[in-house]
Amino acid sequence: MDIYTYWLTTVYNIGAVKQNLLLRHFGNAEAIYNATVSDLQNIKGLTENNIGYILKSKNFEQVKYGAERLNRVGISFVGLHDENYPAILKDIAAPPVGLFCLGKIPDKNLGSVAIIGSRNSTEYGQKIAHDMGKILSNENIVVVSGMAYGIDSMAHRGALEGTGQTIAVLGCGVDICYPAENRKLRDAIAQKGCIISEYPPGVTPRPYHFPARNRIISGLSQLVIVVECGKKSGTLLTVDHALEQGRSVMAVPGNITSKYSEGTNGLIKQGAEPMCRYEDIFFMLETTGKVKIATKLTDIPLNSTSNVSFGDAVSDAKKQPQKINVAENEKIVYYSLEDTNPLSIEEIIVKTQESPQNVQYILTMLELNGLVRKLPGMRYIKT
């Protein structure tokens, strides 16, 4: 680890744009650390506050302690000029000067696709994201997303159920699980891919972190696929970054009456390539000359894969059979649910003949244990 590059990423209130400005001016992070006040004042674009923060952070013992602590907690650091730094990410404007990682960064020679969409999504969008993640993973294509609720989480889960790897990019330190409910997913990604962030450990999520995070998601990917989003969704900011970075963009067509498809349908109207079958992704990757698909998949329909349960198998590429542990008093509700057709609470009550209070309690326990998923409209489905 280059301890000076690590130091530069930890300087408070100095973002990637100014970090890269400093590197271009001084040549390396050690020269920045050793720069005098007058040296820093000669750089156009640095404020007095910026200079003050840089000078205040020059405590080598403290910097050394922070770097050593990363190893103790299992976090690795990859600097911009390190061999393991993703080559594709270096090409973007103001790349992260350093990446904090939980897990192992996939081989830089592998193809990579970002699957993104809104937190608020339909079961249609979630299933497409899940199945797309799994198919790409089985082709050894790295699936990149942001580990948010909805489309992002389902893309990661699908990738974990395949044989490949996935990357989750966070808008906070990698030691912080955001959202907190995704801890099981986060741990599985760290085992079979990696969690990365440009923010040091301990940095909490902030609204302004996520637009910066989004440029890394698109920057790590040859192709960005938008599954579902509204017309004012933050997902579209990632599309803007992708276009600025010269990345290809695809969008999944959706119901023209659904607010969750207004953004994707609008992208297609503006010229984004529609993804009408999974083979379209491989055609796009190969025609751009960026990825060679090992297996020729022909006419794969949108309902080509089933929704496999998400449990211990996510970290096991061999997909061993799963044992579902359901408490005795929860079985009547669990086995009334279906794998593909969501049921309302009223429908579950009719099927089980249980009281509304008991059904609601059992559903809550099953959801906490990761055995069922609550969908919009208070409908439930097995995970």
Side-chain angles (χ1 to χ4, degrees), residues 171-249:
C172 57
V174 296
D175 59 328
I176 297 173
C177 183
Y178 182 81
E181 292 79 2
N182 269 354
R183 181 163 297 278
K184 183 185 287 189
L185 175 62
R186 168 186 178 267
D187 293 345
I189 294 172
Q191 291 177 32
K192 197 183 176 186
C194 68
I195 312 284
I196 70 171
S197 176
E198 65 180 324
Y199 301 108
V203 174
T204 56
R206 292 288 184 269
Y208 53 86
H209 288 173
F210 291 93
R213 181 277 305 261
N214 292 347
R215 88 188 193 286
I216 301 176
I217 292 175
S218 56
L220 283 168
S221 311
Q222 280 106 356
L223 172 64
V224 174
I225 304 174
V226 187
V227 176
E228 215 172 37
C229 70
K231 62 181 178 181
K232 294 184 179 180
S233 170
T235 300
L236 299 176
L237 296 175
T238 309
V239 173
D240 291 339
H241 287 304
L243 295 174
E244 290 170 2
Q245 295 163 355
R247 308 302 194 239
S248 301
V249 175

Side-chain angles (χ1 to χ4, degrees), residues 57-363:
S57 68
K58 292 184 180 183
N59 182 329
F60 192 78
E61 287 304 313
Q62 186 175 341
V63 173
K64 184 179 177 182
Y65 174 81
E68 291 172 347
R69 185 175 178 276
L70 290 181
N71 291 328
R72 291 199 297 271
V73 297
I75 298 172
S76 59
F77 177 80
V78 181
L80 180 61
H81 301 300
D82 289 352
E83 182 181 352
N84 294 331
Y85 191 95
I88 188 174
L89 194 57
K90 292 182 180 182
D91 295 335
I92 72 171
V97 167
L99 296 172
F100 296 87
C101 310
L102 273 178
K104 183 179 179 182
I105 295 178
D107 190 303
K108 64 181 67 177
N109 295 316
L110 294 177
S112 53
V113 171
I115 301 175
I116 59 174
S118 296
R119 291 171 174 82
N120 297 320
S121 53
T122 67
E123 59 264 33
Y124 161 77
Q126 291 178 19
K127 187 172 191 308
I128 295 299
H130 171 276
D131 290 357
M132 189 190 305
K134 184 174 180 180
I135 288 173
L136 289 171
S137 178
N138 283 333
E139 282 292 326
N140 209 24
I141 295 172
V142 179
V143 174
V144 184
S145 201
M147 211 179 80
Y149 285 127
I151 300 302
D152 289 18
S153 291
M154 294 307 294
H156 288 306
R157 292 183 183 193
L160 290 166
E161 290 170 5
T163 56
Q165 297 170 283
T166 185
I167 297 174
V169 186
L170 303 187
C172 57
V174 296
D175 59 328
I176 297 173
C177 183
Y178 182 81
E181 292 79 2
N182 269 354
R183 181 163 297 278
K184 183 185 287 189
L185 175 62
R186 168 186 178 267
D187 293 345
I189 294 172
Q191 291 177 32
K192 197 183 176 186
C194 68
I195 312 284
I196 70 171
S197 176
E198 65 180 324
Y199 301 108
V203 174
T204 56
R206 292 288 184 269
Y208 53 86
H209 288 173
F210 291 93
R213 181 277 305 261
N214 292 347
R215 88 188 193 286
I216 301 176
I217 292 175
S218 56
L220 283 168
S221 311
Q222 280 106 356
L223 172 64
V224 174
I225 304 174
V226 187
V227 176
E228 215 172 37
C229 70
K231 62 181 178 181
K232 294 184 179 180
S233 170
T235 300
L236 299 176
L237 296 175
T238 309
V239 173
D240 291 339
H241 287 304
L243 295 174
E244 290 170 2
Q245 295 163 355
R247 308 302 194 239
S248 301
V249 175
M250 299 185 79
V252 177
N255 188 331
I256 63 172
T257 65
S258 171
K259 64 180 180 180
Y260 300 110
S261 293
E262 289 179 331
T264 47
N265 290 341
L267 288 172
I268 293 170
K269 188 176 180 180
Q270 295 170 40
E273 190 73 21
M275 197 220 82
C276 299
R277 57 182 184 175
Y278 294 112
E279 191 181 23
D280 293 340
I281 306 172
F282 304 135
F283 177 79
M284 175 71 81
L285 289 170
E286 287 197 317
T287 53
T288 56
K290 294 176 178 176
V291 178
K292 184 68 177 175
I293 306 300
T295 304
K296 292 295 181 183
L297 303 176
T298 57
D299 297 328
I300 305 172
L302 288 178
N303 62 353
S304 61
T305 65
S306 61
N307 198 7
V308 183
S309 62
F310 175 69
D312 294 337
V314 292
S315 61
D316 181 6
K318 295 183 179 179
K319 296 294 281 102
Q320 299 294 331
Q322 297 298 298
K323 180 180 179 181
I324 304 299
N325 294 316
V326 183
E328 194 65 35
N329 67 321
E330 298 171 355
K331 286 183 178 180
I332 188 170
V333 172
Y334 178 77
Y335 289 111
S336 74
L337 296 170
E338 301 179 18
D339 294 321
T340 57
N341 181 38
L343 299 179
S344 67
I345 290 181
E346 291 76 14
E347 290 172 316
I348 298 169
I349 291 170
V350 170
K351 289 183 71 172
T352 62
Q353 295 297 300
E354 292 283 317
S355 68
Q357 294 87 348
N358 197 35
V359 168
Q360 182 65 70
Y361 170 77
I362 293 174
L363 286 171

